[in-house]
Amino acid sequence: MKLPISWLKDFIDLDGLSVEEIARKLTLAGLEVEEIKYVGLPVSGASAEGMHSSERHEFKTSGIGWDREKIVVAEIREVNPHPNADRLTLLDLYDGQQSQVVLTGAPNIFHLKGTGKLARPIKVAYAKEGSTIYDGHTDGLVLTTLKRAKIRGVESYSMVCSEKELGISEEHEGIIILDDDAPVGMPLVDYMGDAVLDISILPNMARNASVIGVARELAALTGRELKKPSIEYKTHGESVEKLASIQITEPELNPRFVLGLIRNVEIKPSPYKTQRRLRLAGIRPINNIVDATNYAMLDQGEPLHAFDYDVLKERAGNKNVKIITRAAKDGEKLTTLDDVERKLTSANVLVCDEKGPLSIAGVMGGAESEVSDGTRNILLEGAAWNFINIRKTAKQHNLPSEASFRFSRGVHPSLAETGVRRGLQLMAEWSGGEVAPGLVDAYPLKPKDSVVDVTPQDVKRLLGIDLTVEQISELLTRLEFKCEITKDGLRVTAPSHRLDIGEGVVGLADVLEEVARSYGYDNIPETRMADALPPQIGNPVHEWEEHLRDILVSLGLQEIVSYRLTSPERESRVAQYDEYVTLANPITPDRRVMRRNLVASVLEVVEHNARAESNALFELGPVFEPVENDLPDEPRRLVLAMTGSREALAWDVKDSPNFDFYDMKGRVELLLSGLRYTDVVYAPTDTVNYLHPGKAAEVRVNDKVVGVFGELHPLVKDRYEVEDAPILVAEFDLDVLHAVSPGYEIKPVPDVPPVLEDIAVIVDESVPASRVEALIRQTGGRVLTNVRLFDLYRGEQIGAGKKSLAYSLTYQSDKTMTDAEAAAIRNKIVKRLEHEVKAKLRS
Amino acid sequence: MLEQLKEIEKTALDALSEVTDPAVLEAWRVANVGRSSPLMQVFAGLGKLSKEERPTVGAAANRVKVALESALEERAQAIKEAALAKSLEEESLDVTLPGRGIHVGRLHPSTQQLRRVLDILADMGFQVYTSREVETDEVNFQLLNFPPNHPARDMQDTFFIEAGERGDNPILLRTHTSPGQIHAMREFAAANPDNPPPIRIALPGMCFRYEQITARSEIQFNQVEGLVVGENITFADLKGTLSDFARRMFGQHARTRFRASYFPFTEPSAEMDVECFVCGGAGCQVCKNSGWLEILGCGMVHPVVLQNGGYDPRRYSGYAWGMGPERQLMVRYRIDDIRYFWGNDLRFLGQF
Ligand SMILES: [Zn+2]
């Protein structure tokens, strides 16, 4: 909400408070000021001559200050033609001290060209030589300083300003024409210098979405008095109650409806002061009647709607107007004042007469009964609506407006009458109309003012501060709560403009928040908790996952985090699924489902980084498996991917082999041993669709498959824009892996040296290395503590279809082992291999 | 004979003084103290000498042998030292050439920041509590005091999941980690419904908002939420704990300020700002010239939420807060595009 400070001053004396101080107080109390725009008032913090806002500010700041000496109120006394330019006029202008000749091309003066002396002088904003204002002819806001220049032979050094030039609005079509009461010679900043606070209104602070609402907060925060100008006007003729009636069919949706009437209005522009305030508040002035409804809304917080009374009367066949509020019928239609035909549903509430719908309640008026230039008599509506219903309706028809903004957050029904009276007062003042006596007021559902009991113990227990009953009472009274001292504390009644105070334990929290805000959050001390500590249960799964991350990082893998949202097309490069957890309202089709496959996520990152020397990545997180009309399963997965150069290239490491299957297997082994898994079995698998059928393994722990790894299937790899190097992928089911918790023990370091021995055997290609190693280990028994494959050979020497496996064996016994003992074991191993896999010892 | 020995000694020592090369030195050793050297010939001929001559010549020969051997040792040492001195002088590397690297692994920056946050909170007695990412409207909103169609829902634009007819309880992507508050309170309260235990937990995790993906807004982000519930917990404790946290996270001199705010699940609610650590409060681009950085939203747990969690608001009170690790990183490292985090470009990740 944009709030001009000058308007705020209608309700509170702000002497001695700088604009920034006001903004700070409001911000700390929850009315966050997002920007200060200076429109004339000196920009705080700026140096005396520099009036622009580029310097340091606590708040985002824009705008300019107006020099007191150089920018003043002046009056145009004569309008004469320019001797050398048809489109320009020469103004004879008096600035309070002397007469000046000023040149202008303003279209709103042009029609007076050649009039000469004016019967009634025109009041304008006059910038003298040397003043700094915005350049009206340049797009955007560019400062310029007025200098002496000759324009078509006439010397010019000063200027009559447009709103754009003074930073009031974008308007540069004509010059500002001030109201007649503007005092000539007065510094313009004193007459109408302003600053606009852009305040963000929190959902629970709708009561502050008005000038009086903010003033009320400020009064409480500063201890100053809230001025409430009385709303009075003269009345004439027949009372409105005799001409109109109201029928509310659903009080829950429409607790109150108020009507007032004003006759014989003259539709014309509002006074300049009104137009300027509305523009500063972000509302376009239309005419005095529409402006009065908007002005009253900003002033008091009650959105109003003006009907052309004569249209309604005609619709009623010249009988009394009867206003009916009701839910719309499904399919009912209404053309709103933006000339769009709206199809309504039973979720919408309508303001109707006996003939049919007139407007969508609280959201937008209808075209037929709107105020036009020929309107003479106005029926003015102020009402209260159910905020949830208004919110739904405004969303359904995509009609955000100042009115629906307020109604959808809750406007207290008490404001309906105040608002209508303020609207009628302004209309009478600006249009010369005559207000009919009385109001039609249907008020079937009066909200109860909440009553809450508060004690100093409550304040101590929840806020941690010691306040007396009197102090609490003083803090709340400032915000217009009624406080009554009781035996235990206070009985507090919420003020009649507030809908946000509950009762009971909720009401207590609501009231304590007001105590805290009024007291000032800054004045509440900082303490350390003195409460009992909770039971210590930790989070073993989280700790385990963090450990797992650390191991992978130590193995040289970079962690990545991908979008959980993806598309079936993206994942189809790796896997196809029939069902997904699918968004009902995706932001883009590319991210319309929750991922099911973490391999797909990680491969996208490999592809993104394809030009890197190498990629060694991992991601850990959930995938989402749909469950019919219920929450999905969120199993946790771990995926590793590696591709590219095995070694880091350097000036003397010009090229390196690419990562291959065994690099990945090594990482997998080290990961699992780092996590203390001992009983790990690797077996070939050709059932993982995205892996090369001959270069894939599954990992089993305690006979449970915990994951798979291998080289990416060439057909899958072809679907990615990547380099030639193979891509290795591992995928683990972390829930399963965590469930098979490992047993683990640390072995003592032996005192005696080990005996080392090599053995090489030739076997058929079809015999897996793991089988040979398993046989060696079984046969070697307890003393054979390590078996390491150190060479694999294929070639002519041993014949086709054969391979030679060379192992380094480590024997470790409690006492030093003799060569004979070692030889005996070795012979046993050779015999076993000969027998089981037809191995031949290679000499 | 003695003359001959003198001659042998002199010739040998003269020759030795010329030697500078280890190979020549070895040749000298063979020629002068080797098995067939003239000196050894003298020893071999001792038997042929008379009884009177033998001891004198023998002693003289021994003296020469000792003299030659020690001279040899001395010379060998000198040659070695000269060689070392020469090599030290001659051998030198271009130390400005780059070193040889290895592929190093790193944690994602979000994980690093989550750990910083959780480590500090662990020191302060907060244990980690995690919960699911896809939630029901009931747990994500209603039990946290956001009724259906409440205006506060505008604060959290939501992704909904296609599901069967579920009325006012659609399935959605959690918009904050706060549903974990409900899960945690209910879990703990179930253990002892008449006397639920105190709670101090940190709730980290991925959250989702219906937003355009731009430099400033993302569809997913991490959040860490803190929750304290007990019989003696005050707003002053909230201020103390969060200011302590800020000093651990941003430096012992970090100043904080609390602004009134609104969240449906806390009351009173506040935003905590930390004095800008980039400019020290003087105003800079990072803090948009205000001198303050918005770090977290917080407040006393709303009585309705306590009730929904199984904790009687007349007896228990608590506070909660939520903050964004990515936002903290962006401020800390002046990162101006939030899309980097899930873009996973190695050139970004490699800088952390
Ligand atoms: Zn700063």
Short mmCIF file of all heavy atoms in Angstrom, two decimals, chain A residues 817-842:
data_model
loop_
_atom_site.label_atom_id
_atom_site.label_comp_id
_atom_site.label_asym_id
_atom_site.label_seq_id
_atom_site.Cartn_x
_atom_site.Cartn_y
_atom_site.Cartn_z
N MET A 817 56.48 -68.44 10.08
CA MET A 817 56.14 -69.61 9.27
C MET A 817 57.39 -70.08 8.52
O MET A 817 58.18 -69.26 8.04
CB MET A 817 55.10 -69.17 8.26
CG MET A 817 54.15 -70.24 7.88
SD MET A 817 52.99 -69.52 6.71
CE MET A 817 51.56 -70.41 7.20
N THR A 818 57.58 -71.37 8.43
CA THR A 818 58.73 -71.88 7.67
C THR A 818 58.35 -71.95 6.19
O THR A 818 57.17 -71.96 5.84
CB THR A 818 59.13 -73.29 8.14
OG1 THR A 818 58.03 -74.16 7.85
CG2 THR A 818 59.43 -73.30 9.62
N ASP A 819 59.41 -72.01 5.33
CA ASP A 819 59.16 -72.14 3.89
C ASP A 819 58.40 -73.42 3.60
O ASP A 819 57.52 -73.46 2.73
CB ASP A 819 60.50 -72.16 3.13
CG ASP A 819 61.12 -70.77 3.13
OD1 ASP A 819 60.41 -69.81 3.53
OD2 ASP A 819 62.29 -70.64 2.74
N ALA A 820 58.69 -74.46 4.34
CA ALA A 820 58.04 -75.75 4.11
C ALA A 820 56.54 -75.65 4.40
O ALA A 820 55.70 -76.15 3.64
CB ALA A 820 58.68 -76.82 4.99
N GLU A 821 56.22 -74.96 5.49
CA GLU A 821 54.80 -74.80 5.83
C GLU A 821 54.07 -74.04 4.72
O GLU A 821 52.97 -74.41 4.31
CB GLU A 821 54.66 -74.05 7.16
CG GLU A 821 54.97 -74.91 8.37
CD GLU A 821 55.12 -74.08 9.65
OE1 GLU A 821 55.54 -72.89 9.55
OE2 GLU A 821 54.83 -74.61 10.71
N ALA A 822 54.73 -72.97 4.23
CA ALA A 822 54.10 -72.17 3.16
C ALA A 822 53.94 -73.01 1.89
O ALA A 822 52.90 -72.97 1.23
CB ALA A 822 54.96 -70.94 2.87
N ALA A 823 54.96 -73.78 1.57
CA ALA A 823 54.90 -74.61 0.36
C ALA A 823 53.76 -75.61 0.44
O ALA A 823 53.08 -75.89 -0.55
CB ALA A 823 56.24 -75.33 0.16
N ALA A 824 53.53 -76.15 1.63
CA ALA A 824 52.46 -77.14 1.80
C ALA A 824 51.10 -76.53 1.48
O ALA A 824 50.28 -77.12 0.78
CB ALA A 824 52.49 -77.67 3.23
N ILE A 825 50.89 -75.31 1.99
CA ILE A 825 49.61 -74.66 1.73
C ILE A 825 49.46 -74.39 0.24
O ILE A 825 48.42 -74.62 -0.38
CB ILE A 825 49.51 -73.34 2.52
CG1 ILE A 825 49.56 -73.64 4.02
CG2 ILE A 825 48.22 -72.62 2.18
CD1 ILE A 825 49.73 -72.41 4.88
N ARG A 826 50.54 -73.89 -0.34
CA ARG A 826 50.53 -73.56 -1.75
C ARG A 826 50.18 -74.79 -2.60
O ARG A 826 49.35 -74.71 -3.52
CB ARG A 826 51.93 -73.03 -2.11
CG ARG A 826 52.13 -72.71 -3.54
CD ARG A 826 53.64 -72.54 -3.78
NE ARG A 826 53.93 -72.71 -5.18
CZ ARG A 826 53.95 -71.68 -6.03
NH1 ARG A 826 53.74 -70.47 -5.60
NH2 ARG A 826 54.18 -71.88 -7.31
N ASN A 827 50.77 -75.91 -2.29
CA ASN A 827 50.47 -77.13 -3.04
C ASN A 827 49.00 -77.52 -2.92
O ASN A 827 48.37 -77.94 -3.89
CB ASN A 827 51.34 -78.28 -2.54
CG ASN A 827 52.78 -78.07 -2.99
OD1 ASN A 827 53.02 -77.34 -3.95
ND2 ASN A 827 53.73 -78.69 -2.29
N LYS A 828 48.48 -77.35 -1.72
CA LYS A 828 47.06 -77.65 -1.52
C LYS A 828 46.19 -76.78 -2.43
O LYS A 828 45.22 -77.23 -3.04
CB LYS A 828 46.67 -77.39 -0.04
CG LYS A 828 46.37 -78.66 0.74
CD LYS A 828 46.24 -78.39 2.22
CE LYS A 828 44.91 -77.74 2.59
NZ LYS A 828 44.88 -77.39 4.04
N ILE A 829 46.57 -75.50 -2.49
CA ILE A 829 45.80 -74.55 -3.31
C ILE A 829 45.84 -74.95 -4.79
O ILE A 829 44.80 -75.01 -5.46
CB ILE A 829 46.35 -73.12 -3.13
CG1 ILE A 829 46.03 -72.59 -1.72
CG2 ILE A 829 45.77 -72.17 -4.18
CD1 ILE A 829 46.71 -71.31 -1.36
N VAL A 830 47.08 -75.28 -5.26
CA VAL A 830 47.22 -75.64 -6.67
C VAL A 830 46.38 -76.87 -6.99
O VAL A 830 45.64 -76.91 -7.97
CB VAL A 830 48.71 -75.89 -7.01
CG1 VAL A 830 48.86 -76.44 -8.42
CG2 VAL A 830 49.49 -74.59 -6.86
N LYS A 831 46.44 -77.88 -6.11
CA LYS A 831 45.67 -79.12 -6.32
C LYS A 831 44.18 -78.82 -6.41
O LYS A 831 43.47 -79.30 -7.28
CB LYS A 831 45.91 -80.08 -5.14
CG LYS A 831 47.23 -80.79 -5.22
CD LYS A 831 47.00 -82.33 -5.08
CE LYS A 831 48.26 -83.12 -5.39
NZ LYS A 831 49.36 -82.82 -4.42
N ARG A 832 43.73 -77.97 -5.49
CA ARG A 832 42.31 -77.63 -5.43
C ARG A 832 41.88 -76.94 -6.73
O ARG A 832 40.83 -77.25 -7.30
CB ARG A 832 42.07 -76.69 -4.23
CG ARG A 832 40.64 -76.27 -4.02
CD ARG A 832 39.89 -77.28 -3.16
NE ARG A 832 38.47 -76.98 -3.07
CZ ARG A 832 37.94 -76.18 -2.16
NH1 ARG A 832 38.71 -75.59 -1.26
NH2 ARG A 832 36.64 -75.98 -2.13
N LEU A 833 42.72 -76.00 -7.20
CA LEU A 833 42.39 -75.28 -8.42
C LEU A 833 42.39 -76.21 -9.61
O LEU A 833 41.54 -76.10 -10.50
CB LEU A 833 43.37 -74.12 -8.65
CG LEU A 833 43.27 -72.95 -7.65
CD1 LEU A 833 44.37 -71.92 -7.91
CD2 LEU A 833 41.90 -72.27 -7.73
N GLU A 834 43.34 -77.12 -9.65
CA GLU A 834 43.39 -78.10 -10.75
C GLU A 834 42.10 -78.92 -10.76
O GLU A 834 41.48 -79.13 -11.78
CB GLU A 834 44.59 -79.04 -10.57
CG GLU A 834 45.89 -78.40 -11.01
CD GLU A 834 47.11 -79.25 -10.61
OE1 GLU A 834 46.93 -80.31 -9.94
OE2 GLU A 834 48.22 -78.84 -10.95
N HIS A 835 41.71 -79.30 -9.59
CA HIS A 835 40.54 -80.18 -9.47
C HIS A 835 39.23 -79.44 -9.78
O HIS A 835 38.39 -79.91 -10.52
CB HIS A 835 40.50 -80.78 -8.06
CG HIS A 835 39.36 -81.72 -7.87
ND1 HIS A 835 38.26 -81.38 -7.12
CD2 HIS A 835 39.14 -82.97 -8.35
CE1 HIS A 835 37.41 -82.38 -7.15
NE2 HIS A 835 37.92 -83.37 -7.89
N GLU A 836 39.09 -78.25 -9.24
CA GLU A 836 37.79 -77.56 -9.33
C GLU A 836 37.59 -76.81 -10.65
O GLU A 836 36.50 -76.79 -11.19
CB GLU A 836 37.66 -76.55 -8.18
CG GLU A 836 37.69 -77.16 -6.80
CD GLU A 836 36.29 -77.56 -6.30
OE1 GLU A 836 35.30 -77.09 -6.90
OE2 GLU A 836 36.20 -78.33 -5.33
N VAL A 837 38.64 -76.11 -11.11
CA VAL A 837 38.43 -75.29 -12.31
C VAL A 837 39.43 -75.64 -13.41
O VAL A 837 39.65 -74.84 -14.32
CB VAL A 837 38.49 -73.77 -11.98
CG1 VAL A 837 37.32 -73.38 -11.10
CG2 VAL A 837 39.81 -73.40 -11.30
N LYS A 838 40.04 -76.80 -13.31
CA LYS A 838 40.99 -77.28 -14.31
C LYS A 838 42.11 -76.27 -14.56
O LYS A 838 42.51 -76.02 -15.71
CB LYS A 838 40.29 -77.60 -15.63
CG LYS A 838 39.05 -78.48 -15.48
CD LYS A 838 39.07 -79.59 -16.46
CE LYS A 838 38.11 -80.72 -16.17
NZ LYS A 838 37.14 -80.54 -15.08
N ALA A 839 42.59 -75.69 -13.49
CA ALA A 839 43.65 -74.69 -13.62
C ALA A 839 44.98 -75.40 -13.83
O ALA A 839 45.18 -76.52 -13.38
CB ALA A 839 43.71 -73.84 -12.37
N LYS A 840 45.85 -74.70 -14.54
CA LYS A 840 47.22 -75.20 -14.69
C LYS A 840 48.14 -74.18 -14.07
O LYS A 840 48.00 -72.98 -14.29
CB LYS A 840 47.58 -75.35 -16.17
CG LYS A 840 46.98 -76.58 -16.82
CD LYS A 840 47.79 -76.96 -18.06
CE LYS A 840 47.14 -78.09 -18.80
NZ LYS A 840 46.01 -77.62 -19.63
N LEU A 841 49.11 -74.67 -13.31
CA LEU A 841 50.07 -73.76 -12.72
C LEU A 841 50.93 -73.20 -13.84
O LEU A 841 51.40 -73.91 -14.72
CB LEU A 841 50.94 -74.53 -11.72
CG LEU A 841 51.81 -73.66 -10.82
CD1 LEU A 841 50.97 -72.78 -9.90
CD2 LEU A 841 52.75 -74.53 -9.99
N ARG A 842 51.13 -71.90 -13.82
CA ARG A 842 51.96 -71.30 -14.85
C ARG A 842 53.34 -71.07 -14.25
O ARG A 842 53.46 -70.48 -13.18
CB ARG A 842 51.34 -69.95 -15.27
CG ARG A 842 52.01 -69.37 -16.46
CD ARG A 842 51.31 -68.08 -16.87
NE ARG A 842 52.02 -67.46 -17.97
CZ ARG A 842 52.07 -66.16 -18.17
NH1 ARG A 842 51.48 -65.34 -17.33
NH2 ARG A 842 52.73 -65.67 -19.19
#
